[in-house]
Amino acid sequence: MKQIKKILLNAEYATEFSIDERKTIFMVVNTKELLNKEIPNDANTRNFTGDQNKAVFQMINTLRKTPESFRIKNAGIRMIASEVIRNDNMVELWFKDGEGICNGGHTFEVCKIFGNSNAYVYITVEINLPKEELVDVSVALNMSKRVEDYSIGEKIGSQKWIRETLPNESLKYKEGDEGDYHVTDVLKVANLFKVGKDKKYCKNSINSSLVRKTAIVRENNKNQPLLNTKYLLPDIWELYKLIEDNQVIQENLPNRFTLMKKEEMKPKLTQGMVILFIFGTRYMTEINKNNIPKWKEGYSVERALMICEKISIQISKITKLASFKDMSAEFIYKDRRFHDKVKRIFADELLSH
């Protein structure tokens, strides 16, 4: 059953009109009316990004110092609702799933906390917009600041398979989300196991995972080419996190491949190096007759981690070669010569067993 939410707004001024048989409500609302209000943001491509958005500070400053100018400086709030009941300036709005604020979410969040009787905001509500148009409208209205591709992906549902595959992971799926990892990190890892038309792992997957994140996200938005990795992905993602935190590997490698994350206050292996280790574990997997990657017999997350710990000593020796020792960590793990040497180390280790 679809969830329906009702919002009541007491506007200073409200009017309605119809164009092409579509009704629009326009209101001038005192920002005090928005204090502590809860209006769905489901139609918006972005979530509230807080201090990450410079406009937030400017809006707060205006509301505090020159509230009378707020409606002049602000572009207002745009919403999409299913139904409206208007009694003069008293407006009752009904929202179904996927509706609500489609632009001006930051304005609303600021007014919800800092609204006052001296400041007004313009609110425009489109009534009963066809569901298939919601995404296009939201993206178009947010073009003043380019909407990130992964936010678009979340809006159109192309990341649903990741939610289903990693239901308990704390991931950021769109701008403004909170999470321990970014959905693009998952896509970069899954991309390492992308199967090509020849039913083999794609040769350039390591390069694209390291330097072509945007292309991976856009491909996923278009046709989800990594969908067949979902059966192996829970294990590979768990391995990714274990390698990132592994103290043995961190101690074996030079310090430039370890970063300290302020929010966690513990060292992490750089993402580029973690991706290289995951790339090497492809030798421990195979593609079945249905083009689905899986572990080879006898391999698992635990065994893969043990092998990574063991060969991290050899990888460390490579970083100290004349051709790499003076290079930054970023340049080393993006170097194709380094990729080839890491692949050879993994291949030799697995062939010896």
Side-chain angles (χ1 to χ4, degrees):
M1 180 180 292
K2 291 185 177 180
Q3 184 178 1
I4 298 177
K5 187 174 181 65
K6 180 181 74 172
I7 298 294
L8 187 65
L9 292 175
N10 186 9
E12 294 295 316
Y13 170 81
T15 188
E16 62 183 80
F17 54 89
S18 295
I19 299 177
D20 295 332
E21 299 182 351
R22 291 185 179 180
K23 183 184 288 188
T24 299
I25 305 295
F26 176 77
M27 295 176 276
V28 180
V29 177
N30 192 297
T31 58
K32 188 177 180 179
E33 177 70 13
L34 300 179
L35 288 172
N36 301 314
K37 275 279 194 303
E38 293 296 335
I39 299 177
N41 193 53
D42 296 350
N44 205 339
T45 307
R46 296 188 177 97
N47 277 348
F48 183 59
T49 55
D51 294 339
Q52 301 174 41
N53 191 313
K54 295 180 181 179
V56 169
F57 173 79
Q58 294 171 349
M59 284 190 279
I60 294 173
N61 195 47
T62 299
L63 285 170
R64 284 174 169 171
K65 295 183 178 180
T66 57
E68 298 83 2
S69 68
F70 186 78
R71 67 182 176 87
I72 307 299
K73 296 179 178 180
N74 191 272
I77 301 170
R78 299 283 297 274
M79 302 183 196
I80 296 170
S82 289
E83 295 182 32
V84 60
I85 299 175
R86 177 171 164 257
N87 183 10
D88 195 17
N89 290 339
M90 190 68 70
V91 180
E92 187 176 283
L93 299 170
W94 294 76
F95 303 99
K96 292 180 181 178
D97 284 346
E99 297 178 336
I101 296 172
C102 57
N103 188 243
H106 288 82
T107 296
F108 170 69
E109 291 291 338
V110 169
C111 290
K112 189 169 73 171
I113 300 173
F114 299 96
N116 61 72
S117 59
N118 294 317
Y120 294 84
V121 65
Y122 297 131
I123 297 179
T124 305
V125 186
E126 305 295 338
I127 305 300
N128 203 24
L129 195 69
K131 188 174 182 179
E132 60 270 17
E133 295 183 19
L134 293 180
V135 174
D136 290 341
V137 169
S138 178
V139 172
L141 287 173
N142 282 278
M143 282 301 182
S144 57
K145 177 183 180 296
R146 184 183 176 278
V147 180
E148 294 290 343
D149 291 299
Y150 68 91
S151 291
I152 295 175
E154 176 64 9
K155 192 66 182 174
I156 64 179
S158 65
Q159 295 165 176
K160 182 180 178 181
W161 70 273
I162 299 176
R163 285 186 178 276
E164 294 173 346
T165 305
L166 304 173
N168 299 318
E169 285 299 323
S170 176
L171 298 175
K172 301 174 186 177
Y173 283 96
K174 64 179 179 179
E175 293 158 272
D177 272 359
E178 294 183 356
D180 296 331
Y181 292 92
H182 207 290
V183 67
T184 57
D185 297 334
V186 176
L187 285 169
K188 285 188 283 188
V189 171
N191 182 68
L192 296 172
F193 296 85
K194 182 179 180 181
V195 180
K197 293 180 180 180
D198 58 357
K199 298 185 178 182
K200 296 179 181 179
Y201 289 131
C202 294
K203 293 181 179 179
N204 294 324
S205 62
I206 179 62
N207 187 56
S208 55
S209 287
L210 288 169
V211 300
R212 299 183 66 241
K213 176 185 73 175
T214 300
I216 297 173
V217 175
R218 287 177 179 174
E219 283 183 359
N220 184 67
N221 288 354
K222 186 177 180 181
N223 56 15
Q224 295 85 61
L226 305 176
L227 192 59
N228 63 344
T229 68
K230 66 182 296 183
Y231 304 99
L232 183 64
L233 186 56
D235 278 2
I236 295 300
W237 182 247
E238 181 64 22
L239 180 61
Y240 174 92
K241 294 187 294 182
L242 290 171
I243 292 174
E244 182 184 48
D245 291 331
N246 190 274
Q247 292 186 356
V248 173
I249 296 175
Q250 290 177 19
E251 291 172 1
N252 287 338
L253 292 172
N255 290 336
R256 63 183 184 274
F257 294 104
T258 302
L259 298 174
M260 181 68 74
K261 288 196 173 184
K262 293 181 180 180
E263 62 271 21
E264 297 181 28
M265 293 305 295
K266 65 178 182 179
K268 298 274 189 181
L269 201 64
T270 56
Q271 186 183 70
M273 186 57 75
V274 178
I275 286 176
L276 272 172
F277 273 100
I278 297 294
F279 179 60
T281 64
R282 287 202 320 191
Y283 287 103
M284 306 176 204
T285 68
E286 59 188 4
I287 302 168
N288 70 14
K289 62 181 181 180
N290 295 316
N291 283 347
I292 296 174
K294 68 182 189 71
W295 289 111
K296 289 180 178 177
E297 186 176 353
Y299 288 96
S300 63
V301 172
E302 293 75 18
R303 187 174 179 193
L305 183 62
M306 290 177 60
I307 292 173
C308 288
E309 288 180 348
K310 179 180 179 181
I311 66 174
S312 63
I313 298 174
Q314 299 176 61
I315 293 177
S316 178
K317 291 178 180 178
I318 296 175
T319 66
K320 297 172 183 177
L321 295 176
S323 53
F324 300 117
K325 67 177 182 179
D326 295 325
M327 293 173 65
S328 67
E330 182 178 6
F331 278 101
I332 288 179
Y333 59 66
K334 289 181 180 179
D335 193 296
R336 291 181 182 273
R337 297 171 301 169
F338 190 72
H339 300 171
D340 291 339
K341 291 183 181 298
V342 170
K343 284 194 295 184
R344 174 53 58 187
I345 290 174
F346 271 96
D348 289 347
E349 174 64 25
L350 299 181
L351 285 173
S352 65
H353 289 78

